[in-house]
Amino acid sequence: AIKCKAAVAWEAGKPLSLEEVVVAPPKAHEVRIKIVATAVCHTDAYTLSGADPEGCFPVILGHEGAGIVESVGEGVTKVKPGDTVIPLYIPQCGECKFCKNPKTNLCQKIRITQGKGLMPDGTSRFTCRGKQIYHFMGTSTFSEYTVVADISVAKIDAGAPLDKVCLLGCGISTGYGAAVNTAKVEPGSTCAVFGLGGVGLAVIMGCKIAGASRIIGIDLNKDKYAKAKEFGAAECISPEDFKKPIQEVLVEMTDGGVDYSFECIGNVGVMRAALEACHKGWGVSVIVGVAAAGQEISTRPFQLVTGRTWKGTAFGGWKSVDSVPKLVTDYMAKKIKVDEFVTHTLPFDKINEAFELLHKGK
């Protein structure tokens, strides 16, 4: 067993607590990783808030990380100690019917135990002050060491800067893939992106790389406009600056609506607006944001009858084990941006400050 520091969420709605935890060795088909860098994501904050129906406490959160394999359990063949890796919250076993289907990336092999905060054998590898601590999203990157299933790890270029590529574990990959995999944005198309946080910026990047001719960013926070324009947005607007609903504004601005729209907030009202901002006959709207438990989306069926398509995406549709190493390679070859997404770099003991910055939209 290894003793190390971890940020433990003892209960919902409370700040994370830096504790000494004990991390058990990996069992069969498990990998123990020394986490070098982790990012914070709204999904961590959502679970910490207590709104997540799958949230269980005490837990070690975190799902955007990168590190080095410390040891492996019996039967692990794809990685070895010393390998540079990114833990994956959506695994890829290669055997289930989801992995075998090219239409989805939603591997279900360990879904049930992962959702309960446990390893595939139904137990935890973390203890703190004599108590069992739950895992989170199969990754738990807010710990100096973590244990993951061997199907939940991608081996990447050893030369990659881990304090940057950790972002490919969720946010950047999700937004970029929403544009290029889920929507399949075409050259010359017009796109609208609702929510200009990290995921929204990654969507803009994907639309730009796919050849979109006009990208419109929508956000209440005007401080985010300059960054969105750097990534490729032609213009940015705020719903608060108009007397009519934002979808009507967009339909007028674009001669009938956008070809593709993306909701990157997790707000069901905005999801409706994003669909209704799409062009009749062929508009496609992709839901990227995760809404709170129990919420429902609505629109008039006529919106769909007249040729609009509503889609959703998880992790940008990437089959994780296969795709994450390629995304790292694309970044190393300067084909996609990653450095530009990093706003602050903080020491581990300032993790609660990182969440404060996240909540302030900074």
Side-chain angles (χ1 to χ4, degrees), residues 111-342:
R111 179 72 199 91
I112 291 168
T113 49
Q114 181 172 315
K116 290 177 180 167
L118 299 168
M119 293 300 290
D121 72 345
T123 64
S124 167
R125 301 292 163 269
F126 297 119
T127 46
C128 180
R129 302 192 204 169
K131 288 191 181 133
Q132 172 185 285
I133 308 290
Y134 287 107
H135 293 250
F136 178 66
M137 289 175 75
T139 53
S140 290
T141 60
F142 294 172
S143 175
E144 290 177 327
Y145 287 86
T146 189
V147 179
V148 305
D150 62 353
I151 58 171
S152 303
V153 64
K155 182 182 170 180
I156 62 161
D157 185 330
L162 301 186
D163 61 333
K164 305 293 192 294
V165 297
C166 60
L167 290 166
L168 292 169
C170 176
I172 298 178
S173 305
T174 297
Y176 177 50
V180 299
N181 297 332
T182 309
K184 297 185 168 59
V185 171
E186 294 159 322
S189 51
T190 300
C191 303
V193 180
F194 291 77
L196 302 175
V199 174
L201 293 175
V203 170
I204 292 173
M205 176 174 77
C207 293
K208 189 84 180 161
I209 289 170
S213 60
R214 186 180 178 193
I215 303 164
I216 304 163
I218 300 105
D219 202 301
L220 298 172
N221 182 351
K222 294 185 178 178
D223 295 343
K224 299 195 168 185
Y225 293 179
K227 195 77 156 171
K229 286 176 180 169
E230 269 175 52
F231 275 82
E235 63 233 278
C236 296
I237 57 174
S238 167
E240 287 178 338
D241 290 344
F242 302 92
K243 291 210 162 60
K244 58 177 78 167
I246 194 69
Q247 52 266 53
E248 290 178 28
V249 174
L250 286 159
V251 166
E252 278 175 24
M253 280 174 70
T254 55
D255 184 29
V258 297
D259 302 313
Y260 300 97
S261 71
F262 302 85
E263 198 279 353
C264 308
I265 302 161
N267 177 310
V268 292
V270 178
M271 290 172 189
R272 177 174 189 158
L275 176 79
E276 294 176 2
C278 282
H279 203 288
K280 183 189 279 191
W282 63 76
V284 174
S285 187
V286 181
I287 294 173
V288 193
V290 178
Q295 297 196 320
E296 297 182 355
I297 48 173
S298 63
T299 189
R300 295 206 170 111
F302 192 69
Q303 292 285 335
L304 301 176
V305 171
T306 50
R308 293 169 197 82
T309 304
W310 222 342
K311 300 180 100 169
T313 190
F315 196 54
W318 301 106
K319 290 205 183 256
S320 58
V321 174
D322 293 342
S323 304
V324 169
K326 291 176 187 160
L327 289 167
V328 171
T329 303
D330 283 351
Y331 156 65
M332 300 291 274
K334 296 193 164 41
K335 289 180 186 168
I336 60 170
K337 292 180 162 87
V338 173
D339 297 10
E340 293 81 355
F341 286 86
V342 179

